[in-house]
Amino acid sequence: MFEEKRNLDGVYFRVKRYGKWENVCFSDLRSDEREDILEGKSIEWVKQLCRILADTISEIGKKFDLRGENDE
């Protein structure tokens, strides 16, 4: 099975997939891999990850002039 790697967020983790180790961005991890990474992390660590992901989303939005839908 192949998971597409987009390498968007720049926060890499070593994970073992299909018998070999790979460097994978947090946003490219499978749900179970994310759960494993987050297990036991401090609140401050998770907050920093959220800051990095938020900055990444903002930069992608600016670069491609993207906006989410708004009900207003």
Side-chain angles (χ1 to χ4, degrees):
M1 179 182 279
F2 172 76
E3 282 93 3
E4 183 173 10
K5 291 198 251 180
R6 295 181 185 274
N7 300 318
L8 295 175
D9 61 59
V11 182
Y12 289 89
F13 296 92
R14 295 279 294 165
V15 295
K16 195 169 190 178
R17 287 184 173 172
Y18 315 109
K20 67 178 199 173
W21 289 95
E22 299 181 41
N23 295 321
V24 182
C25 270
F26 188 78
S27 58
D28 291 330
L29 294 171
R30 296 186 312 251
S31 180
D32 62 312
E33 293 169 334
R34 289 180 189 158
E35 287 297 320
D36 289 344
I37 296 294
L38 293 171
E39 183 69 31
K41 297 297 191 273
S42 69
I43 295 296
E44 191 53 43
W45 189 95
V46 175
K47 284 181 179 180
Q48 183 60 26
L49 176 61
C50 289
R51 290 181 197 106
I52 293 167
L53 296 176
D55 289 345
T56 300
I57 291 168
S58 181
E59 287 301 314
I60 291 169
K62 288 176 189 173
K63 182 172 184 172
F64 296 103
D65 195 28
L66 300 173
R67 287 171 176 61
E69 292 186 34
N70 192 339
D71 291 338
E72 297 177 22

